[in-house]
Amino acid sequence: MAGTRTRRGAGSEQSRTARAAALAEELHHECTLLLDLYRKKETFAEELTVGGESLVTVPPLSSQLSPNDMLWRLYSALQQCRNLLERAIGREEAVGNGGDRAQYENQKKTVRDRLGHLLASTRLLLEDGAGTAAFTPEPKNSEIDYPGNGSPFALKLWIYRIFNELEHWTLTASKTLKALHPDGATPKERRTRGRARGRRTRR
Amino acid sequence: MPSLFLGILLLGLRVTESQASGLAPPQQVRLDADTEAQKLLVTWEDGRASTFDVEILRTELMEIVFNETVVATEDQSTGKHQWNWTSPVPLECTSLSVKVRSRDGQDVSEWSSQQILPGLDLPDNTDSQMYPEGKTVPVGSNMTFCCIVKEGQQFGSLLYKDTLVKETMLSRRTYATTMTNQGPSNPSGTNVVCSDEKKMIITGAVVFVGYPPMPSDLVCETHDLISVDCQWSKGRETYLFGMARQTYYTLNGRDSNMRCGLEQWDGNWTLVARNLLGEFRLTDAAELGHRVRPVAPVNLTTPEVYSWNASVGWLWKYNGYERLSLICQVQRTSHSNSSTQTYTGYGLNTVVLKDLQPDEKYNVKVRCGSQKNFWKWGEWSLPLSFQTKMDRPVAPDIWLWMDSDNLGRVLWKPLTKSESHGQISGYEVTLWSPEENSQQTLTLPQSMYSLPINVTDRWSKVTVTARNPAGVSLPANVVIPRHLPGKNGGKGRPNSVTFNGSGFPLSWVAHANASCGYVVDWYNTSCTHDCNVEWTRVAADNTNTMVQSSNFFAGVRYTFSLYACSSESTVLLERWHGYMQELVPSRTVPRLSPNQEGSDVQLTWDQIPLEHQRGFILGYTVYLTNASHLTLLGNPSPLTLPGTGLMCVCFQGTLDVKPSPHSMVHIVEDSVWDSSKEALVTVPEEDEEGTGDEEADTDEPASLRYYNQVVEEGSSSRGRPHASDSSASSTGSMDSGHTDVTYTGIQTSACSLAPMAHFQPQPDASQCAGGGGYRPQMQSASCPEDPQTGPEEHLQPPVGSFGGYQPQCSWKQDSPEADGGGLDQACLGSPTSVTSSQFLLPYDTSEEGKEHQSSASTWFHNLLTGKP
């Protein structure tokens, strides 16, 4: 995973972007697996979909945005995902319906850990892109709290929606970060073209 | 027209009935719903009857769900009537309309005004919902679930788990399904999912299906003689998990988990197990003294450790054990075995372990129970390891094996671990001469187990001791036999002994001078020096033994010797020879050569070296090769030249070999024996023993190769032997078309008549199955049955016609005849051939030839026995 930096600055940024993209891709795979495990655990038929409004609310990631703005929105979405996941894990532990699904429980922890890594990696990119990034406290979105009024099914559906959001946003992150990578020919990449680039390390 | 009239009449009667009744309709009908229990409480006033008609409809679709006459007595204090109804469908699913009228027999009142229990599918409740949600029910329950779709949403389907189920429409927005005999849920409950027509989840419900608790085996006991420790089994799985649905326990009113401790001994205990589906009670009662289960002993030590015993001590956690009569098990484990001893005593905390082995590592652990009113064994203590001290070794098992009258080897067996009692550091061998009162001692390292000695008259006894760091063993003695009474023991020739599958069974006549028993030793007979000698000891009162060894091999002759031992002498009593399994000889007859004088031919050959015999040589078969034919000349009895190992046989006769340029004679070792063993002449085995170092004839005769080819090619290949293939001993060929050969006598210059006492012609000895005399030494070899009858059949009795010798058929020959139809020589050794310069007697299968052969045998026999 470790990239080889030839120069400080753009070269290291590129390798960080590549690393974040790879991390996002791996995380998307883990989220897909988590979603699948949950579906099996709850015997939700595969053809069933979850509707309703998105639990994660960020402005659309338009191609007109600058790479830094795009990263900001992505970072915000991933942060909301992490909050949702933490709440889902907390709710499930509180209900305590038996930890007889070891693989599912482990997968939740894996996703949580890797999501943390991806957030940290994305934050580093923001620092690089904006000079010194000034972070405001994480938004406390009361709307993402469990809305179920004690209904077991509402909790399950809420968790199912969270896992769907995770799957969606990690895929978005993977695609976005790949696009921001110099090989993706993004505006930022074009801006830094001509500078010596570090050797890219692919997973 | 009549039917119309009847209808009007009935209508008139009904109106009359209603109008004629003096019953007033129920007033102030009121509905109260218990949605959790799905119960509807209907109350009304002013109904003076005790029976009422109740009608319940689904308001929206006006479907009757209940219409019956019920009994509802008046509550005297309130003056109201009450009636309960349990709905199979959750009350939230849709609105219900209820009306009541009084009934007195056939008299009924007017219906009350209709009361409506509003459902949650009313337009102002726009959200989608499902009922019942989160209910816990017993396994086997029937339940109806309803899905209220969102205003404007289109219902799609209902799924129970992941199975599509059939729905019923209850209202514009409500659809229901009934599940019967529900099975246990998974830990997070069973999902019922309602989706729209696009397979998107609208809403859903979870039902938890399980069992009430049913624990078992409540047992309370004490470890410290004061407090109580109660345990029980969970029993049947409830399938209910989570904080709300799991089973909770109380013991004597105190919350507990699956195990509970109480500070004082109550004597009676009640366990209550509860979950949402019910509760279960268990009780136990006992006196303290009947429920003592000691804790595990701690701090095991070995205050004293010796070679053969040791003491083990431990501590008790509770002082009360000092007055407790205990029974304890001490389990000791060494590398070889494990055993358990039991000890008793008040407050037992030390025991002595006896019958230990010196220099042995032991692991011990202890557990105890109450000796009085024994309840259960306590837990095992942690193991304790210790090693016993060394002790001097036991005396080694020694033997003296005589290579010759003056040379011998003192042998002793390595001591096992249980005999060594410590690492053996060496051995001491002492040669004694009591007459001269002298001795000579040699110290040997621990890796040596034999010592060659020159046995002279000076030494008469050998003593061997073993030494380890703890000391020297008692001496082991053996008396050197001064004169071996004949190499083969008292009986002259060794007997043969047959391997019986597990060993060699030996038996003998008791010997008077065997005060310290017998010794049987054995070795590979063909071994000449540094032989591996094994021995076993037999008690003086036994006269038989089974010799067993992992070092026995097939095709190897072993010599077994029996000695009688006493403090004064060692006497060889008897010898046996035997094979674990006989095999065909592994090489050809060596040095086969003809010696011709005139028309007589004398064949001579050497003994096969003993290690190549691989079984008892019982005779020889001589064949004559003539062109494509191999002709059996018979099984002439060979003569042995004393001291040379040479064998010879003479032939007399006439042979028509035209047009063959050569005659080749094949000698085949014959492991086939006739029923009359005494009639066979074989080389005495004591003579064979001297041939072991003979020069081996390693070159396979060329004619043998050809011979094999003929055999392999069978009847389809009638190849003619080539003169150039003959062995070096061939004397060339005579290209004669027809030559008569007549043997007139034995060439006495080459043959000795010394072993005449053994000589008895036996021309028909080449059979697979023998008579009753000789027992083969074989594992499970069976002779091939050959139903064919060849020209020589009259000379060769059919296979299996007698049951004596069973040769081992690892080398098989269908027939030496090219057409394969003649000789039943199924089991023969390798042939050796020689080319004769003269033509030998033909073997005639006709009656005439038979007579001729018979007369030749008679002549031969008479000649050898000195008869005219």
Side-chain angles (χ1 to χ4, degrees), chain A residues 41-44 47-49 51 94-97 100 151-153 156, chain B residues 133 161-162 186-189 191 199-201 203-206 242-243:
Chain A
K41 171 178 170 288
E42 295 300 340
T43 61
F44 284 148
E47 66 270 19
L48 292 178
T49 59
V95 172
N97 278 336
D100 64 329
S151 159
F153 188 82
K156 289 182 179 185
Chain B
E133 163 63 326
K161 295 181 180 173
D162 53 357
N186 64 32
S188 65
N191 297 325
K199 302 286 184 190
M200 192 178 79
I201 298 174
T203 183
V206 182
M243 304 295 283

PDB file of all heavy atoms in Angstrom, chain A residues 41-44 47-49 51 94-97 100 151-153 156, chain B residues 133 161-162 186-189 191 199-201 203-206 242-243:
ATOM      1  N   LYS A  41     -28.909 -12.545   7.398  1.00  0.00           N
ATOM      2  CA  LYS A  41     -29.264 -12.636   8.821  1.00  0.00           C
ATOM      3  C   LYS A  41     -30.746 -12.356   9.021  1.00  0.00           C
ATOM      4  O   LYS A  41     -31.416 -13.021   9.810  1.00  0.00           O
ATOM      5  CB  LYS A  41     -28.412 -11.631   9.587  1.00  0.00           C
ATOM      6  CG  LYS A  41     -28.763 -11.417  11.035  1.00  0.00           C
ATOM      7  CD  LYS A  41     -27.798 -10.422  11.646  1.00  0.00           C
ATOM      8  CE  LYS A  41     -28.212  -9.963  13.025  1.00  0.00           C
ATOM      9  NZ  LYS A  41     -29.346  -9.085  13.069  1.00  0.00           N
ATOM     10  N   GLU A  42     -31.259 -11.389   8.300  1.00  0.00           N
ATOM     11  CA  GLU A  42     -32.650 -10.994   8.483  1.00  0.00           C
ATOM     12  C   GLU A  42     -33.585 -11.615   7.459  1.00  0.00           C
ATOM     13  O   GLU A  42     -34.767 -11.261   7.383  1.00  0.00           O
ATOM     14  CB  GLU A  42     -32.761  -9.466   8.418  1.00  0.00           C
ATOM     15  CG  GLU A  42     -32.029  -8.762   9.547  1.00  0.00           C
ATOM     16  CD  GLU A  42     -32.552  -9.151  10.925  1.00  0.00           C
ATOM     17  OE1 GLU A  42     -33.688  -9.655  11.021  1.00  0.00           O
ATOM     18  OE2 GLU A  42     -31.803  -8.969  11.905  1.00  0.00           O
ATOM     19  N   THR A  43     -33.040 -12.534   6.682  1.00  0.00           N
ATOM     20  CA  THR A  43     -33.819 -13.197   5.618  1.00  0.00           C
ATOM     21  C   THR A  43     -34.599 -12.189   4.779  1.00  0.00           C
ATOM     22  O   THR A  43     -35.766 -12.411   4.434  1.00  0.00           O
ATOM     23  CB  THR A  43     -34.764 -14.279   6.194  1.00  0.00           C
ATOM     24  OG1 THR A  43     -35.690 -13.660   7.088  1.00  0.00           O
ATOM     25  CG2 THR A  43     -34.014 -15.377   6.879  1.00  0.00           C
ATOM     26  N   PHE A  44     -33.982 -11.083   4.480  1.00  0.00           N
ATOM     27  CA  PHE A  44     -34.599 -10.133   3.549  1.00  0.00           C
ATOM     28  C   PHE A  44     -34.381 -10.642   2.129  1.00  0.00           C
ATOM     29  O   PHE A  44     -33.237 -10.905   1.732  1.00  0.00           O
ATOM     30  CB  PHE A  44     -33.956  -8.743   3.684  1.00  0.00           C
ATOM     31  CG  PHE A  44     -34.395  -7.991   4.898  1.00  0.00           C
ATOM     32  CD1 PHE A  44     -33.534  -7.119   5.541  1.00  0.00           C
ATOM     33  CD2 PHE A  44     -35.685  -8.130   5.402  1.00  0.00           C
ATOM     34  CE1 PHE A  44     -33.934  -6.400   6.661  1.00  0.00           C
ATOM     35  CE2 PHE A  44     -36.093  -7.415   6.531  1.00  0.00           C
ATOM     36  CZ  PHE A  44     -35.223  -6.563   7.158  1.00  0.00           C
ATOM     37  N   GLU A  47     -34.545  -9.298  -3.708  1.00  0.00           N
ATOM     38  CA  GLU A  47     -35.185  -8.383  -4.672  1.00  0.00           C
ATOM     39  C   GLU A  47     -35.823  -7.173  -3.976  1.00  0.00           C
ATOM     40  O   GLU A  47     -36.201  -6.194  -4.630  1.00  0.00           O
ATOM     41  CB  GLU A  47     -36.230  -9.117  -5.515  1.00  0.00           C
ATOM     42  CG  GLU A  47     -37.447  -9.626  -4.749  1.00  0.00           C
ATOM     43  CD  GLU A  47     -37.266 -11.035  -4.221  1.00  0.00           C
ATOM     44  OE1 GLU A  47     -36.106 -11.483  -4.127  1.00  0.00           O
ATOM     45  OE2 GLU A  47     -38.275 -11.682  -3.898  1.00  0.00           O
ATOM     46  N   LEU A  48     -35.937  -7.237  -2.651  1.00  0.00           N
ATOM     47  CA  LEU A  48     -36.558  -6.124  -1.941  1.00  0.00           C
ATOM     48  C   LEU A  48     -35.595  -4.935  -1.855  1.00  0.00           C
ATOM     49  O   LEU A  48     -34.397  -5.109  -1.633  1.00  0.00           O
ATOM     50  CB  LEU A  48     -36.956  -6.547  -0.528  1.00  0.00           C
ATOM     51  CG  LEU A  48     -38.091  -7.559  -0.413  1.00  0.00           C
ATOM     52  CD1 LEU A  48     -38.330  -7.918   1.053  1.00  0.00           C
ATOM     53  CD2 LEU A  48     -39.369  -7.009  -1.034  1.00  0.00           C
ATOM     54  N   THR A  49     -36.135  -3.768  -2.028  1.00  0.00           N
ATOM     55  CA  THR A  49     -35.318  -2.560  -1.925  1.00  0.00           C
ATOM     56  C   THR A  49     -35.835  -1.706  -0.782  1.00  0.00           C
ATOM     57  O   THR A  49     -36.961  -1.897  -0.297  1.00  0.00           O
ATOM     58  CB  THR A  49     -35.370  -1.739  -3.222  1.00  0.00           C
ATOM     59  OG1 THR A  49     -36.740  -1.385  -3.478  1.00  0.00           O
ATOM     60  CG2 THR A  49     -34.830  -2.538  -4.391  1.00  0.00           C
ATOM     61  N   GLY A  51     -36.724   2.079   0.369  1.00  0.00           N
ATOM     62  CA  GLY A  51     -37.030   3.382  -0.218  1.00  0.00           C
ATOM     63  C   GLY A  51     -36.805   4.486   0.789  1.00  0.00           C
ATOM     64  O   GLY A  51     -35.992   4.367   1.702  1.00  0.00           O
ATOM     65  N   ALA A  94     -27.538  -2.522  22.228  1.00  0.00           N
ATOM     66  CA  ALA A  94     -28.512  -2.259  23.284  1.00  0.00           C
ATOM     67  C   ALA A  94     -29.646  -3.277  23.256  1.00  0.00           C
ATOM     68  O   ALA A  94     -30.111  -3.742  24.294  1.00  0.00           O
ATOM     69  CB  ALA A  94     -29.071  -0.847  23.125  1.00  0.00           C
ATOM     70  N   VAL A  95     -30.083  -3.622  22.079  1.00  0.00           N
ATOM     71  CA  VAL A  95     -31.159  -4.610  21.961  1.00  0.00           C
ATOM     72  C   VAL A  95     -30.646  -5.978  22.383  1.00  0.00           C
ATOM     73  O   VAL A  95     -31.328  -6.746  23.075  1.00  0.00           O
ATOM     74  CB  VAL A  95     -31.702  -4.627  20.515  1.00  0.00           C
ATOM     75  CG1 VAL A  95     -32.679  -5.772  20.320  1.00  0.00           C
ATOM     76  CG2 VAL A  95     -32.370  -3.292  20.205  1.00  0.00           C
ATOM     77  N   GLY A  96     -29.395  -6.274  21.957  1.00  0.00           N
ATOM     78  CA  GLY A  96     -28.767  -7.526  22.388  1.00  0.00           C
ATOM     79  C   GLY A  96     -29.522  -8.764  22.001  1.00  0.00           C
ATOM     80  O   GLY A  96     -29.875  -9.577  22.839  1.00  0.00           O
ATOM     81  N   ASN A  97     -29.744  -8.917  20.731  1.00  0.00           N
ATOM     82  CA  ASN A  97     -30.471 -10.096  20.271  1.00  0.00           C
ATOM     83  C   ASN A  97     -29.574 -11.307  20.062  1.00  0.00           C
ATOM     84  O   ASN A  97     -29.832 -12.145  19.220  1.00  0.00           O
ATOM     85  CB  ASN A  97     -31.218  -9.785  18.974  1.00  0.00           C
ATOM     86  CG  ASN A  97     -32.537  -9.096  19.258  1.00  0.00           C
ATOM     87  OD1 ASN A  97     -33.089  -9.247  20.348  1.00  0.00           O
ATOM     88  ND2 ASN A  97     -33.024  -8.334  18.307  1.00  0.00           N
ATOM     89  N   ASP A 100     -24.945 -14.339  17.870  1.00  0.00           N
ATOM     90  CA  ASP A 100     -24.703 -15.646  17.281  1.00  0.00           C
ATOM     91  C   ASP A 100     -24.255 -15.543  15.828  1.00  0.00           C
ATOM     92  O   ASP A 100     -24.086 -16.529  15.164  1.00  0.00           O
ATOM     93  CB  ASP A 100     -25.972 -16.495  17.365  1.00  0.00           C
ATOM     94  CG  ASP A 100     -27.105 -15.906  16.559  1.00  0.00           C
ATOM     95  OD1 ASP A 100     -27.136 -14.662  16.442  1.00  0.00           O
ATOM     96  OD2 ASP A 100     -27.942 -16.672  16.055  1.00  0.00           O
ATOM     97  N   SER A 151     -40.078   0.100  17.652  1.00  0.00           N
ATOM     98  CA  SER A 151     -40.482  -0.979  16.751  1.00  0.00           C
ATOM     99  C   SER A 151     -39.258  -1.762  16.296  1.00  0.00           C
ATOM    100  O   SER A 151     -38.324  -1.197  15.711  1.00  0.00           O
ATOM    101  CB  SER A 151     -41.192  -0.393  15.527  1.00  0.00           C
ATOM    102  OG  SER A 151     -41.160  -1.318  14.467  1.00  0.00           O
ATOM    103  N   PRO A 152     -39.220  -3.082  16.566  1.00  0.00           N
ATOM    104  CA  PRO A 152     -38.064  -3.874  16.136  1.00  0.00           C
ATOM    105  C   PRO A 152     -37.857  -3.829  14.627  1.00  0.00           C
ATOM    106  O   PRO A 152     -36.731  -3.766  14.158  1.00  0.00           O
ATOM    107  CB  PRO A 152     -38.411  -5.284  16.607  1.00  0.00           C
ATOM    108  CG  PRO A 152     -39.411  -5.113  17.673  1.00  0.00           C
ATOM    109  CD  PRO A 152     -40.185  -3.878  17.319  1.00  0.00           C
ATOM    110  N   PHE A 153     -38.985  -3.822  13.893  1.00  0.00           N
ATOM    111  CA  PHE A 153     -38.809  -3.835  12.439  1.00  0.00           C
ATOM    112  C   PHE A 153     -38.279  -2.492  11.948  1.00  0.00           C
ATOM    113  O   PHE A 153     -37.453  -2.445  11.028  1.00  0.00           O
ATOM    114  CB  PHE A 153     -40.124  -4.162  11.729  1.00  0.00           C
ATOM    115  CG  PHE A 153     -39.920  -4.382  10.256  1.00  0.00           C
ATOM    116  CD1 PHE A 153     -39.484  -5.614   9.788  1.00  0.00           C
ATOM    117  CD2 PHE A 153     -40.134  -3.366   9.345  1.00  0.00           C
ATOM    118  CE1 PHE A 153     -39.256  -5.818   8.439  1.00  0.00           C
ATOM    119  CE2 PHE A 153     -39.909  -3.567   7.997  1.00  0.00           C
ATOM    120  CZ  PHE A 153     -39.474  -4.794   7.543  1.00  0.00           C
ATOM    121  N   LYS A 156     -34.638  -2.531  12.328  1.00  0.00           N
ATOM    122  CA  LYS A 156     -33.987  -3.355  11.307  1.00  0.00           C
ATOM    123  C   LYS A 156     -33.946  -2.628   9.971  1.00  0.00           C
ATOM    124  O   LYS A 156     -32.924  -2.656   9.265  1.00  0.00           O
ATOM    125  CB  LYS A 156     -34.737  -4.686  11.142  1.00  0.00           C
ATOM    126  CG  LYS A 156     -34.566  -5.632  12.307  1.00  0.00           C
ATOM    127  CD  LYS A 156     -35.303  -6.931  12.032  1.00  0.00           C
ATOM    128  CE  LYS A 156     -35.123  -7.899  13.191  1.00  0.00           C
ATOM    129  NZ  LYS A 156     -35.719  -9.212  12.913  1.00  0.00           N
TER     130      LYS A 156
ATOM    131  N   GLU B 133     -46.752  -5.751  15.934  1.00  0.00           N
ATOM    132  CA  GLU B 133     -45.318  -5.551  15.818  1.00  0.00           C
ATOM    133  C   GLU B 133     -44.634  -5.896  17.133  1.00  0.00           C
ATOM    134  O   GLU B 133     -45.065  -5.450  18.213  1.00  0.00           O
ATOM    135  CB  GLU B 133     -45.053  -4.097  15.433  1.00  0.00           C
ATOM    136  CG  GLU B 133     -43.628  -3.602  15.664  1.00  0.00           C
ATOM    137  CD  GLU B 133     -42.560  -4.311  14.838  1.00  0.00           C
ATOM    138  OE1 GLU B 133     -42.709  -5.524  14.574  1.00  0.00           O
ATOM    139  OE2 GLU B 133     -41.573  -3.660  14.469  1.00  0.00           O
ATOM    140  N   LYS B 161     -40.670 -14.196   6.605  1.00  0.00           N
ATOM    141  CA  LYS B 161     -39.240 -14.478   6.345  1.00  0.00           C
ATOM    142  C   LYS B 161     -38.978 -14.070   4.902  1.00  0.00           C
ATOM    143  O   LYS B 161     -39.177 -12.927   4.542  1.00  0.00           O
ATOM    144  CB  LYS B 161     -38.888 -15.938   6.630  1.00  0.00           C
ATOM    145  CG  LYS B 161     -39.041 -16.317   8.105  1.00  0.00           C
ATOM    146  CD  LYS B 161     -38.657 -17.758   8.351  1.00  0.00           C
ATOM    147  CE  LYS B 161     -38.830 -18.102   9.827  1.00  0.00           C
ATOM    148  NZ  LYS B 161     -38.631 -19.527  10.083  1.00  0.00           N
ATOM    149  N   ASP B 162     -38.581 -15.001   4.077  1.00  0.00           N
ATOM    150  CA  ASP B 162     -38.398 -14.633   2.679  1.00  0.00           C
ATOM    151  C   ASP B 162     -39.388 -15.374   1.788  1.00  0.00           C
ATOM    152  O   ASP B 162     -39.145 -15.584   0.605  1.00  0.00           O
ATOM    153  CB  ASP B 162     -36.963 -14.917   2.239  1.00  0.00           C
ATOM    154  CG  ASP B 162     -36.543 -16.343   2.548  1.00  0.00           C
ATOM    155  OD1 ASP B 162     -37.348 -17.072   3.157  1.00  0.00           O
ATOM    156  OD2 ASP B 162     -35.418 -16.722   2.195  1.00  0.00           O
ATOM    157  N   ASN B 186     -35.325 -16.868  14.630  1.00  0.00           N
ATOM    158  CA  ASN B 186     -33.893 -16.711  14.839  1.00  0.00           C
ATOM    159  C   ASN B 186     -33.703 -15.626  15.903  1.00  0.00           C
ATOM    160  O   ASN B 186     -34.673 -15.006  16.338  1.00  0.00           O
ATOM    161  CB  ASN B 186     -33.179 -16.402  13.519  1.00  0.00           C
ATOM    162  CG  ASN B 186     -33.597 -15.096  12.913  1.00  0.00           C
ATOM    163  OD1 ASN B 186     -33.924 -14.165  13.640  1.00  0.00           O
ATOM    164  ND2 ASN B 186     -33.607 -15.021  11.606  1.00  0.00           N
ATOM    165  N   PRO B 187     -32.479 -15.391  16.358  1.00  0.00           N
ATOM    166  CA  PRO B 187     -32.296 -14.510  17.527  1.00  0.00           C
ATOM    167  C   PRO B 187     -32.894 -13.121  17.375  1.00  0.00           C
ATOM    168  O   PRO B 187     -33.324 -12.527  18.373  1.00  0.00           O
ATOM    169  CB  PRO B 187     -30.771 -14.440  17.657  1.00  0.00           C
ATOM    170  CG  PRO B 187     -30.307 -15.736  17.113  1.00  0.00           C
ATOM    171  CD  PRO B 187     -31.219 -16.056  15.982  1.00  0.00           C
ATOM    172  N   SER B 188     -32.922 -12.575  16.178  1.00  0.00           N
ATOM    173  CA  SER B 188     -33.467 -11.218  16.044  1.00  0.00           C
ATOM    174  C   SER B 188     -34.932 -11.236  15.633  1.00  0.00           C
ATOM    175  O   SER B 188     -35.491 -10.196  15.277  1.00  0.00           O
ATOM    176  CB  SER B 188     -32.647 -10.417  15.033  1.00  0.00           C
ATOM    177  OG  SER B 188     -32.777 -10.975  13.746  1.00  0.00           O
ATOM    178  N   GLY B 189     -35.574 -12.384  15.694  1.00  0.00           N
ATOM    179  CA  GLY B 189     -37.000 -12.464  15.414  1.00  0.00           C
ATOM    180  C   GLY B 189     -37.298 -12.783  13.956  1.00  0.00           C
ATOM    181  O   GLY B 189     -36.419 -12.746  13.091  1.00  0.00           O
ATOM    182  N   ASN B 191     -39.187 -11.876  10.542  1.00  0.00           N
ATOM    183  CA  ASN B 191     -39.680 -10.667   9.880  1.00  0.00           C
ATOM    184  C   ASN B 191     -40.864 -10.969   8.977  1.00  0.00           C
ATOM    185  O   ASN B 191     -40.874 -11.976   8.269  1.00  0.00           O
ATOM    186  CB  ASN B 191     -38.575 -10.037   9.026  1.00  0.00           C
ATOM    187  CG  ASN B 191     -37.400  -9.588   9.870  1.00  0.00           C
ATOM    188  OD1 ASN B 191     -37.592  -9.143  10.995  1.00  0.00           O
ATOM    189  ND2 ASN B 191     -36.206  -9.730   9.356  1.00  0.00           N
ATOM    190  N   LYS B 199     -41.542  -3.749  -5.327  1.00  0.00           N
ATOM    191  CA  LYS B 199     -40.688  -4.542  -4.436  1.00  0.00           C
ATOM    192  C   LYS B 199     -39.925  -3.673  -3.434  1.00  0.00           C
ATOM    193  O   LYS B 199     -38.893  -4.083  -2.922  1.00  0.00           O
ATOM    194  CB  LYS B 199     -39.677  -5.382  -5.241  1.00  0.00           C
ATOM    195  CG  LYS B 199     -40.294  -6.328  -6.234  1.00  0.00           C
ATOM    196  CD  LYS B 199     -40.926  -7.512  -5.536  1.00  0.00           C
ATOM    197  CE  LYS B 199     -41.470  -8.513  -6.557  1.00  0.00           C
ATOM    198  NZ  LYS B 199     -42.298  -9.545  -5.912  1.00  0.00           N
ATOM    199  N   MET B 200     -40.418  -2.507  -3.207  1.00  0.00           N
ATOM    200  CA  MET B 200     -39.782  -1.672  -2.204  1.00  0.00           C
ATOM    201  C   MET B 200     -40.476  -1.906  -0.859  1.00  0.00           C
ATOM    202  O   MET B 200     -41.710  -1.999  -0.797  1.00  0.00           O
ATOM    203  CB  MET B 200     -39.886  -0.199  -2.590  1.00  0.00           C
ATOM    204  CG  MET B 200     -39.009   0.693  -1.737  1.00  0.00           C
ATOM    205  SD  MET B 200     -39.123   2.392  -2.270  1.00  0.00           S
ATOM    206  CE  MET B 200     -40.669   2.870  -1.530  1.00  0.00           C
ATOM    207  N   ILE B 201     -39.665  -2.019   0.175  1.00  0.00           N
ATOM    208  CA  ILE B 201     -40.225  -2.314   1.491  1.00  0.00           C
ATOM    209  C   ILE B 201     -41.056  -1.120   1.951  1.00  0.00           C
ATOM    210  O   ILE B 201     -40.567   0.011   2.032  1.00  0.00           O
ATOM    211  CB  ILE B 201     -39.116  -2.612   2.503  1.00  0.00           C
ATOM    212  CG1 ILE B 201     -38.326  -3.853   2.079  1.00  0.00           C
ATOM    213  CG2 ILE B 201     -39.693  -2.804   3.900  1.00  0.00           C
ATOM    214  CD1 ILE B 201     -37.108  -4.142   2.940  1.00  0.00           C
ATOM    215  N   THR B 203     -43.321  -1.446   4.836  1.00  0.00           N
ATOM    216  CA  THR B 203     -43.292  -1.572   6.294  1.00  0.00           C
ATOM    217  C   THR B 203     -43.101  -3.034   6.632  1.00  0.00           C
ATOM    218  O   THR B 203     -42.948  -3.889   5.749  1.00  0.00           O
ATOM    219  CB  THR B 203     -44.600  -1.023   6.908  1.00  0.00           C
ATOM    220  OG1 THR B 203     -44.506  -1.100   8.333  1.00  0.00           O
ATOM    221  CG2 THR B 203     -45.820  -1.791   6.441  1.00  0.00           C
ATOM    222  N   GLY B 204     -43.119  -3.338   7.907  1.00  0.00           N
ATOM    223  CA  GLY B 204     -42.940  -4.732   8.313  1.00  0.00           C
ATOM    224  C   GLY B 204     -43.146  -4.876   9.801  1.00  0.00           C
ATOM    225  O   GLY B 204     -43.385  -3.903  10.530  1.00  0.00           O
ATOM    226  N   ALA B 205     -43.070  -6.100  10.235  1.00  0.00           N
ATOM    227  CA  ALA B 205     -43.219  -6.386  11.664  1.00  0.00           C
ATOM    228  C   ALA B 205     -42.284  -7.529  12.016  1.00  0.00           C
ATOM    229  O   ALA B 205     -41.860  -8.288  11.148  1.00  0.00           O
ATOM    230  CB  ALA B 205     -44.661  -6.762  11.992  1.00  0.00           C
ATOM    231  N   VAL B 206     -41.981  -7.615  13.291  1.00  0.00           N
ATOM    232  CA  VAL B 206     -41.150  -8.712  13.776  1.00  0.00           C
ATOM    233  C   VAL B 206     -41.952  -9.472  14.813  1.00  0.00           C
ATOM    234  O   VAL B 206     -42.597  -8.868  15.670  1.00  0.00           O
ATOM    235  CB  VAL B 206     -39.845  -8.184  14.416  1.00  0.00           C
ATOM    236  CG1 VAL B 206     -38.971  -9.340  14.870  1.00  0.00           C
ATOM    237  CG2 VAL B 206     -39.083  -7.298  13.440  1.00  0.00           C
ATOM    238  N   GLY B 242     -32.106 -11.351  23.803  1.00  0.00           N
ATOM    239  CA  GLY B 242     -32.195  -9.906  24.005  1.00  0.00           C
ATOM    240  C   GLY B 242     -32.670  -9.594  25.406  1.00  0.00           C
ATOM    241  O   GLY B 242     -33.209 -10.437  26.124  1.00  0.00           O
ATOM    242  N   MET B 243     -32.446  -8.344  25.770  1.00  0.00           N
ATOM    243  CA  MET B 243     -32.770  -7.924  27.127  1.00  0.00           C
ATOM    244  C   MET B 243     -34.233  -8.154  27.461  1.00  0.00           C
ATOM    245  O   MET B 243     -34.579  -8.520  28.584  1.00  0.00           O
ATOM    246  CB  MET B 243     -32.464  -6.422  27.284  1.00  0.00           C
ATOM    247  CG  MET B 243     -31.024  -6.044  26.933  1.00  0.00           C
ATOM    248  SD  MET B 243     -29.834  -6.777  28.050  1.00  0.00           S
ATOM    249  CE  MET B 243     -30.063  -5.705  29.444  1.00  0.00           C
TER     250      MET B 243
END
